[in-house]
Amino acid sequence: MTQMNRTLTYTAIFALTMAVFIPATYANPTPQSSNFPHIISLGESPQGIRHWRILRHTLKIAVPQNSKAISQLIIEAPTNIVLRENIDVSEESGKKIAAKVSIQGKKATLEFAESVAPGTIIIVEMKNVKKTAVTTGDKFYKISTILAGMNVELPIGVVQLRVI
């Protein structure tokens, strides 16, 4: 093997190694995370496959002990993602949380039967999420909430979905 081929091989190995270590998601919570609900993470399954059309996105949100309870959660999908009503909500322990799901355009609204209490970590599994086109680059979910006893939608953060 020539020096040029060897250099190209090492460069390719390095680039692939670095691509593996780049996180697929990034959550940007609000600054008052200690007393306000905030995003922990977003996972995609199967992960990082840009040609895959039907996916599962799993969102994890913390409701800190010092926060008010949550009565609704609003998820706004990126432009090329279609959400379906097949959304399950549970606590981190696996206990189901009853929620009425409604989809309107790019927004999914989850209205909880009982407000989600402070000190809870919410797992939102968005099943059968559909990509409308081959995806590359960064896509952003905008997450908002309505706290118990309020009628105002409050943004709690943005989740970045990176597809390589």
mmCIF file of all heavy atoms in Angstrom, residues 26-43:
data_model
loop_
_atom_site.group_PDB
_atom_site.id
_atom_site.type_symbol
_atom_site.label_atom_id
_atom_site.label_comp_id
_atom_site.label_asym_id
_atom_site.label_seq_id
_atom_site.Cartn_x
_atom_site.Cartn_y
_atom_site.Cartn_z
ATOM 1 N N TYR A 26 -29.189 16.674 21.613
ATOM 2 C CA TYR A 26 -28.703 17.682 22.547
ATOM 3 C C TYR A 26 -29.912 18.400 23.096
ATOM 4 O O TYR A 26 -30.746 18.870 22.346
ATOM 5 C CB TYR A 26 -27.777 18.665 21.831
ATOM 6 C CG TYR A 26 -27.338 19.801 22.707
ATOM 7 C CD1 TYR A 26 -26.387 19.604 23.696
ATOM 8 C CD2 TYR A 26 -27.904 21.054 22.567
ATOM 9 C CE1 TYR A 26 -26.000 20.642 24.512
ATOM 10 C CE2 TYR A 26 -27.514 22.102 23.380
ATOM 11 C CZ TYR A 26 -26.557 21.882 24.354
ATOM 12 O OH TYR A 26 -26.183 22.917 25.174
ATOM 13 N N ALA A 27 -30.022 18.458 24.409
ATOM 14 C CA ALA A 27 -31.149 19.145 25.036
ATOM 15 C C ALA A 27 -30.675 20.469 25.601
ATOM 16 O O ALA A 27 -29.639 20.539 26.243
ATOM 17 C CB ALA A 27 -31.729 18.284 26.152
ATOM 18 N N ASN A 28 -31.437 21.513 25.336
ATOM 19 C CA ASN A 28 -31.102 22.840 25.826
ATOM 20 C C ASN A 28 -32.223 23.318 26.748
ATOM 21 O O ASN A 28 -33.190 23.905 26.297
ATOM 22 C CB ASN A 28 -30.935 23.797 24.644
ATOM 23 C CG ASN A 28 -30.493 25.164 25.078
ATOM 24 O OD1 ASN A 28 -30.060 25.359 26.205
ATOM 25 N ND2 ASN A 28 -30.614 26.125 24.188
ATOM 26 N N PRO A 29 -32.108 23.033 28.061
ATOM 27 C CA PRO A 29 -33.172 23.435 28.976
ATOM 28 C C PRO A 29 -33.131 24.914 29.289
ATOM 29 O O PRO A 29 -32.168 25.606 28.987
ATOM 30 C CB PRO A 29 -32.875 22.609 30.238
ATOM 31 C CG PRO A 29 -31.403 22.383 30.184
ATOM 32 C CD PRO A 29 -31.031 22.327 28.724
ATOM 33 N N THR A 30 -34.198 25.397 29.931
ATOM 34 C CA THR A 30 -34.236 26.779 30.364
ATOM 35 C C THR A 30 -33.255 26.978 31.514
ATOM 36 O O THR A 30 -32.906 26.032 32.206
ATOM 37 C CB THR A 30 -35.655 27.158 30.827
ATOM 38 O OG1 THR A 30 -36.020 26.270 31.870
ATOM 39 C CG2 THR A 30 -36.639 27.090 29.702
ATOM 40 N N PRO A 31 -32.807 28.211 31.771
ATOM 41 C CA PRO A 31 -31.817 28.457 32.821
ATOM 42 C C PRO A 31 -32.284 28.097 34.235
ATOM 43 O O PRO A 31 -31.491 27.744 35.065
ATOM 44 C CB PRO A 31 -31.549 29.961 32.730
ATOM 45 C CG PRO A 31 -32.022 30.365 31.380
ATOM 46 C CD PRO A 31 -33.091 29.394 30.994
ATOM 47 N N GLN A 32 -33.578 28.166 34.536
ATOM 48 C CA GLN A 32 -34.072 27.887 35.883
ATOM 49 C C GLN A 32 -34.395 26.411 36.064
ATOM 50 O O GLN A 32 -35.397 26.049 36.643
ATOM 51 C CB GLN A 32 -35.339 28.720 36.169
ATOM 52 C CG GLN A 32 -35.154 30.203 36.074
ATOM 53 C CD GLN A 32 -35.251 30.716 34.646
ATOM 54 O OE1 GLN A 32 -35.659 30.013 33.746
ATOM 55 N NE2 GLN A 32 -34.837 31.939 34.427
ATOM 56 N N SER A 33 -33.519 25.515 35.615
ATOM 57 C CA SER A 33 -33.788 24.089 35.617
ATOM 58 C C SER A 33 -34.043 23.504 36.992
ATOM 59 O O SER A 33 -34.723 22.508 37.117
ATOM 60 C CB SER A 33 -32.628 23.334 34.973
ATOM 61 O OG SER A 33 -32.489 23.733 33.652
ATOM 62 N N SER A 34 -33.510 24.088 38.048
ATOM 63 C CA SER A 34 -33.649 23.488 39.366
ATOM 64 C C SER A 34 -35.054 23.638 39.935
ATOM 65 O O SER A 34 -35.453 22.873 40.799
ATOM 66 C CB SER A 34 -32.626 24.081 40.324
ATOM 67 O OG SER A 34 -32.893 25.457 40.509
ATOM 68 N N ASN A 35 -35.829 24.620 39.468
ATOM 69 C CA ASN A 35 -37.182 24.781 39.987
ATOM 70 C C ASN A 35 -38.230 24.901 38.881
ATOM 71 O O ASN A 35 -39.323 25.392 39.116
ATOM 72 C CB ASN A 35 -37.263 25.984 40.931
ATOM 73 C CG ASN A 35 -36.855 27.276 40.256
ATOM 74 O OD1 ASN A 35 -36.650 27.308 39.052
ATOM 75 N ND2 ASN A 35 -36.737 28.342 41.025
ATOM 76 N N PHE A 36 -37.885 24.455 37.696
ATOM 77 C CA PHE A 36 -38.774 24.544 36.542
ATOM 78 C C PHE A 36 -38.623 23.262 35.731
ATOM 79 O O PHE A 36 -37.512 22.744 35.598
ATOM 80 C CB PHE A 36 -38.381 25.762 35.692
ATOM 81 C CG PHE A 36 -39.432 26.200 34.727
ATOM 82 C CD1 PHE A 36 -40.581 26.849 35.165
ATOM 83 C CD2 PHE A 36 -39.285 25.963 33.372
ATOM 84 C CE1 PHE A 36 -41.554 27.266 34.270
ATOM 85 C CE2 PHE A 36 -40.248 26.373 32.471
ATOM 86 C CZ PHE A 36 -41.388 27.024 32.925
ATOM 87 N N PRO A 37 -39.711 22.687 35.182
ATOM 88 C CA PRO A 37 -39.575 21.474 34.369
ATOM 89 C C PRO A 37 -38.555 21.686 33.252
ATOM 90 O O PRO A 37 -38.477 22.770 32.673
ATOM 91 C CB PRO A 37 -40.984 21.278 33.796
ATOM 92 C CG PRO A 37 -41.880 21.972 34.764
ATOM 93 C CD PRO A 37 -41.091 23.154 35.265
ATOM 94 N N HIS A 38 -37.758 20.659 32.960
ATOM 95 C CA HIS A 38 -36.752 20.783 31.911
ATOM 96 C C HIS A 38 -36.521 19.445 31.214
ATOM 97 O O HIS A 38 -36.838 18.385 31.746
ATOM 98 C CB HIS A 38 -35.430 21.339 32.471
ATOM 99 C CG HIS A 38 -34.840 20.503 33.557
ATOM 100 N ND1 HIS A 38 -35.199 20.665 34.876
ATOM 101 C CD2 HIS A 38 -33.930 19.514 33.529
ATOM 102 C CE1 HIS A 38 -34.526 19.807 35.615
ATOM 103 N NE2 HIS A 38 -33.757 19.086 34.823
ATOM 104 N N ILE A 39 -35.956 19.548 30.021
ATOM 105 C CA ILE A 39 -35.686 18.385 29.182
ATOM 106 C C ILE A 39 -34.381 17.733 29.637
ATOM 107 O O ILE A 39 -33.391 18.422 29.860
ATOM 108 C CB ILE A 39 -35.552 18.808 27.706
ATOM 109 C CG1 ILE A 39 -36.813 19.528 27.252
ATOM 110 C CG2 ILE A 39 -35.248 17.609 26.823
ATOM 111 C CD1 ILE A 39 -36.625 20.360 26.005
ATOM 112 N N ILE A 40 -34.400 16.423 29.743
ATOM 113 C CA ILE A 40 -33.181 15.686 30.059
ATOM 114 C C ILE A 40 -32.546 15.162 28.770
ATOM 115 O O ILE A 40 -31.366 15.352 28.536
ATOM 116 C CB ILE A 40 -33.471 14.518 31.023
ATOM 117 C CG1 ILE A 40 -33.989 15.063 32.356
ATOM 118 C CG2 ILE A 40 -32.224 13.664 31.215
ATOM 119 C CD1 ILE A 40 -34.465 13.994 33.312
ATOM 120 N N SER A 41 -33.363 14.515 27.916
ATOM 121 C CA SER A 41 -32.787 13.931 26.702
ATOM 122 C C SER A 41 -33.868 13.587 25.677
ATOM 123 O O SER A 41 -35.057 13.587 25.983
ATOM 124 C CB SER A 41 -32.012 12.656 27.042
ATOM 125 O OG SER A 41 -32.899 11.667 27.529
ATOM 126 N N LEU A 42 -33.405 13.281 24.476
ATOM 127 C CA LEU A 42 -34.247 12.759 23.398
ATOM 128 C C LEU A 42 -33.478 11.629 22.752
ATOM 129 O O LEU A 42 -32.311 11.791 22.394
ATOM 130 C CB LEU A 42 -34.558 13.836 22.342
ATOM 131 C CG LEU A 42 -35.271 13.345 21.080
ATOM 132 C CD1 LEU A 42 -36.726 13.011 21.382
ATOM 133 C CD2 LEU A 42 -35.206 14.366 19.977
ATOM 134 N N GLY A 43 -34.109 10.483 22.621
ATOM 135 C CA GLY A 43 -33.469 9.345 21.967
ATOM 136 C C GLY A 43 -34.226 8.952 20.722
ATOM 137 O O GLY A 43 -35.440 9.156 20.621
#
